[in-house]
Structures are given as C-alpha cells and as structure tokens.
C-alpha cells in the first residue's frame, strides 16, 4: 500500500486546502444513520448499526471541524477566496446541515443512553445550529448579491445549499421538541416554522431558476452531476419538516389558546407534506435520468458526489414517516427501495472518498487555485 498523502498539492494541504465541502460527507453519513434507525422492519441489529454509523459520523464531524478551524486560524489569507468563490462558499451550508444530523442522532441514540445530559446537549447544539444556519443563509446570498461573479448559464442547484440549512434545522426541531419541557418545546416549534418559511420560500425561487437554466443551457458538466439531485433536498426536507413539526405541535400546545391551531398544523402539515413529496418525486426521477446521461461522459469523482446521498436520504425518511402517518402500504416498499439505493450509493461514494483521502488528492481547494490564477494574470 502506498504511503498516505503522496498526492498532496503542497505541504499541509490537508489544512490549507481543506474545504467546507468535506462536511457533505457528514451530511450523507449522518442521514444514512437516521434512515437505518427509521426502517419500519428494523430490529435491534439495525438499531445498533445505525448508532454505530452515527458515532462514526460524530468523529468525522469533529475532525472536519478541527481542520476547518485550523485553516481559518493558521491560513487566514485563504478565507477571503473561499467566501468569494461562487461554488465553494455554497458548501458553508453543509456545516449546519451536518451538525443537524448529529443533533437528531443525539436525541435518538444519546438520550436512551445518557438521559438528560444528552438532551441538554442536543438542545444547546440545536440553537447553535439555528444560528449557523441563519448566518450562512444570510451571508452567502449577500456575497452573491455584492461580491461574487455569477451568470445564469453557470447556475447549478448548488445554490440551494446555504438556504436549505434553516429548513434542516426546522425539521430537527420537530425531533427535539417532544423531549423538551412544554415552554421550551413551544419556542423550538415556533422557531422551526419560521426557519421552514425562510428556507422553503427561497428554495422554490431557486428551483424555478434551476429549471429555467436547464431548459435554456442544458445539463452542466459531469463534475456537477450530483447537483441534479439537490432540488430533491429542500422539497423532501420541507415534507419531513411539516410532518415532524406538526406531529409535535398538539402535545406542546395542549391546554393553551393555540391548541386548536396545533391540531390544524398537524393535519394541514400532513396534506402539505404529501404535496411536497410528489414534487420531490418528480425531481428524483429527473435526477436519475440526468445521472444516467452523465455516466456516459466518464464522470470523475469529486466531493460533490455526496450530493447523491443527503437528498435521497431525506426523501427516504419522509417516505417512511408518511407510511407511519397515513398507514398507506405503498410508501413501505418505496421507502425500502430508496433505503437500499441509498446504502449502495453511500458505499460507492465513501470508498472513493477514503481512497482520495488516503492519497491526499481531495485536498485541493478550487478557490485557492482560482485566486492563484487570477493573481498571475
């Protein structure tokens, strides 16, 4: 076996050229753990495996957070190129979304083991996640409006990443709220609905632009193949968010003046989630067609391939939750097929990621290469 890091672009490239796109690994891995835990026919073995994946994901997130912090502190000159890069800056949204998978797992796996301590940690991390998600959802679009260089023909669904982060935090609020005291649960749920509104309204606007761009300028290059799957993410997360928030509302608002509204939120949320599931299904089928076309073009691996995993995982979670809420058997086998496909894709992408990590070839920041090229000219 060759020595590690033989293809590093420069010494300490694993720090200086560490990009926020690495957090997409934690998004896909954490979401896979949640899917395993949500399997309707799952037993103790599946639960144990899901918990193992969640712990593995926690280690990944901690390691990536340290590397990213080291880049910011030790190589401050790289921060500006990253923020101004029209693609790399979008992956800042992967940080709070990756953290949200850890929070959900902490509620599902940590609370049974560690009790109130795990719940308090999850609650605190959720508010941190809210702050990070809103910060990214405001900062990156502002930079797009004022500093970054964009054009319609260059637009891809990667634009969705920074604005979907609040929606992911909203869905996590529905998971967390049933375990909180009523007053804290009500605050988390109201905040979740606000985040849901911020995110999905912008997501629909961007998905419309993506549709226009694809019609006018056709598919992007194969290096952006996974972006075809990204519109599934906000639609499926919106579906899951309505289900999880609505499910938690009646208990949290029981005995208050908003008890009737809470029941309405649960019922209307179910209808809205079905509408969003249908929209996500259309984009998923279209993404499969587009990916089949990209495969003919000898797709080269990059960290963007993790975009194949998270949207599919959230869609799978929404499918299983719809089966539980509606009792319609149709959603069961569909969810099972989606879960199997997710596992196979995750294995393929993780194998390529580990190989690239070992050799060091994935530690190449496009924003630094672009800045170097600009300085030479």
């Amino acid at each position: 076996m060759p020595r590690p890091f033989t293809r590093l672009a420069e010494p300490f490239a694993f720090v200086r050229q560490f990009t926020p796109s690495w957090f997409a690994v934690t998004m896909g891995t954490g979401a896979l753990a949640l899917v395993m835990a949500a399997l309707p026919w799952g037993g103790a073995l599946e639960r144990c495996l899901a918990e193992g994946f969640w712990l593995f994901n926690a280690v990944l997130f901690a390691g990536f957070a340290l590397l990213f912090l080291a880049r910011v502190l030790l190589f401050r000159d790289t921060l500006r190129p990253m923020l101004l890069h029209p693609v790399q800056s979008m992956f800042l949204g992967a940080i709070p979304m990756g953290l949200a998978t850890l929070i959900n797992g902490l509620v599902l796996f940590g609370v049974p083991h560690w009790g109130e301590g795990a719940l308090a940690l999850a609650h605190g991390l959720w508010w941190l996640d809210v702050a990070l998600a809103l910060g990214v959802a405001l900062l990156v679009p502002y930079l797009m409006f004022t500093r970054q260089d964009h054009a319609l023909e260059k637009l891809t669904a990667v634009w969705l990443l920074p604005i979907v982060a609040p929606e992911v935090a909203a869905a996590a609020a529905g998971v967390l709220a049933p375990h909180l005291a009523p007053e804290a649960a009500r605050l988390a749920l109201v905040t979740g609905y606000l985040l849901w509104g911020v995110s999905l309204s912008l997501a629909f606007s961007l998905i419309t632009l993506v549709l226009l761009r694809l019609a006018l300028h056709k598919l992007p290059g194969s290096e952006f193949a996974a972006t075809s799957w990204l519109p599934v993410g906000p639609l499926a997360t919106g579906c899951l968010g309505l289900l999880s928030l609505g499910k938690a509302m009646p208990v949290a608002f029981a005995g208050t003046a908003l008890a009737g509204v809470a029941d309405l939120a649960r019922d209307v949320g179910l209808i809205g989630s079905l509408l969003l599931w249908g929209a996500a299904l259309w984009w998923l089928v279209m993404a499969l067609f587009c990916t089949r076309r990209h495969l003919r073009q000898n797709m080269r691996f990059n960290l963007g391939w993790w975009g194949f995993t998270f949207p599919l995982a959230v869609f799978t979670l929404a499918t299983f939750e719809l089966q539980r809420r509606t009792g319609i058997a149709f959603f069961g086998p569909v969810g099972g097929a989606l879960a199997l496909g997710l596992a196979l894709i995750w294995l393929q992408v993780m194998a390529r990621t580990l190989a690239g990590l070992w050799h060091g070839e994935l530690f190449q920041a496009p924003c630094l290469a672009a800045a170097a090229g600009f300085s030479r000219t």
Side-chain angles (χ1 to χ4, degrees), residues 155-212:
L155 184 155
T156 68
V158 75
W159 282 20
L160 289 164
L161 289 176
I163 66 166
V164 174
E167 192 180 20
V168 176
V175 176
L176 179 65
H179 302 269
L180 301 176
E183 184 176 353
R186 290 193 287 269
L187 178 59
L189 290 172
V190 170
T191 303
Y193 275 109
L194 293 174
L195 294 170
W196 188 93
V198 167
S199 188
L200 198 64
S201 61
L202 294 172
F204 271 121
S205 301
L206 281 181
I207 290 173
T208 302
L209 289 178
V210 169
L211 192 66
L212 176 64

Side-chain angles (χ1 to χ4, degrees), residues 15-356:
V15 175
R16 186 173 183 272
Q17 304 221 24
F18 182 85
T19 64
S21 55
W22 278 96
F23 286 93
V25 180
T26 67
M27 291 172 59
T29 304
L32 176 62
L34 298 177
V35 168
M36 289 181 181
L39 292 173
W41 54 85
L45 177 61
E46 288 79 6
R47 179 85 178 186
C48 183
L49 187 61
E51 187 172 343
F53 268 87
W54 173 72
L55 290 172
F56 172 59
N57 192 51
V59 172
L60 287 177
F61 189 91
F64 293 164
L66 289 174
L67 287 173
F68 187 67
L69 183 61
R71 174 182 173 175
V72 172
L73 294 178
L74 300 178
F75 301 100
R76 297 181 182 179
D77 59 307
T78 68
L79 183 60
R80 179 184 174 88
M82 179 190 67
L83 291 176
L84 298 186
H85 194 271
V87 175
Q88 282 299 303
S89 59
M90 304 299 160
F91 281 94
L92 289 171
I95 300 175
M97 286 192 281
L99 179 58
T101 66
L102 296 184
I103 295 169
N104 289 342
L106 194 58
V107 173
L108 293 175
F109 309 121
V111 171
H113 288 305
W114 307 305
E116 291 298 320
L119 182 59
L121 177 60
H123 194 194
L125 287 177
W126 182 76
W127 282 109
L128 173 62
D129 192 64
V130 169
L132 290 174
L134 283 175
V136 170
L138 290 169
L139 173 63
V140 176
Y142 178 74
L143 292 174
M144 294 173 68
F145 301 160
T146 59
R147 304 297 300 276
Q148 296 177 358
D149 182 24
H150 293 280
L152 180 61
E153 63 270 17
K154 298 179 183 178
L155 184 155
T156 68
V158 75
W159 282 20
L160 289 164
L161 289 176
I163 66 166
V164 174
E167 192 180 20
V168 176
V175 176
L176 179 65
H179 302 269
L180 301 176
E183 184 176 353
R186 290 193 287 269
L187 178 59
L189 290 172
V190 170
T191 303
Y193 275 109
L194 293 174
L195 294 170
W196 188 93
V198 167
S199 188
L200 198 64
S201 61
L202 294 172
F204 271 121
S205 301
L206 281 181
I207 290 173
T208 302
L209 289 178
V210 169
L211 192 66
L212 176 64
R213 179 254 182 267
L214 291 173
L216 295 180
H217 302 287
K218 312 313 172 191
L219 294 179
S222 59
E223 66 274 19
F224 292 105
T227 61
S228 300
W229 294 62
L230 296 184
V232 178
L235 297 172
T237 306
C239 171
L240 187 62
L242 282 180
L243 290 170
S244 62
L245 290 170
K247 183 179 180 180
M249 285 285 285
V251 174
F253 285 88
T256 71
L258 295 177
V261 176
D263 291 335
L264 182 64
R266 177 195 59 203
D267 298 336
V268 173
L270 177 58
I271 297 173
S273 66
L274 288 169
L275 299 176
L276 288 172
W277 191 90
L281 178 63
W282 186 91
W283 276 102
L284 178 62
V285 174
M286 189 59 62
L288 290 170
F289 289 156
C290 294
T291 303
R292 181 174 179 271
R293 188 176 182 89
H294 280 300
L295 287 171
R296 299 174 181 174
Q297 302 174 1
N298 193 23
M299 291 166 46
R300 294 186 60 186
F301 176 75
N302 58 63
L303 287 175
W305 279 31
W306 284 97
F308 292 122
T309 60
F310 187 75
L312 181 59
V314 180
F315 188 63
T316 306
L317 288 170
T319 303
F320 285 144
E321 186 61 27
L322 280 173
Q323 182 199 21
R324 284 188 285 268
R325 292 289 299 276
T326 65
I328 297 176
F330 162 79
F331 290 111
V334 172
L338 293 172
L340 177 60
L342 172 65
L344 294 175
I345 292 173
W346 184 90
L347 287 171
Q348 175 73 248
V349 177
M350 178 56 80
R352 291 173 180 259
T353 301
L354 291 176

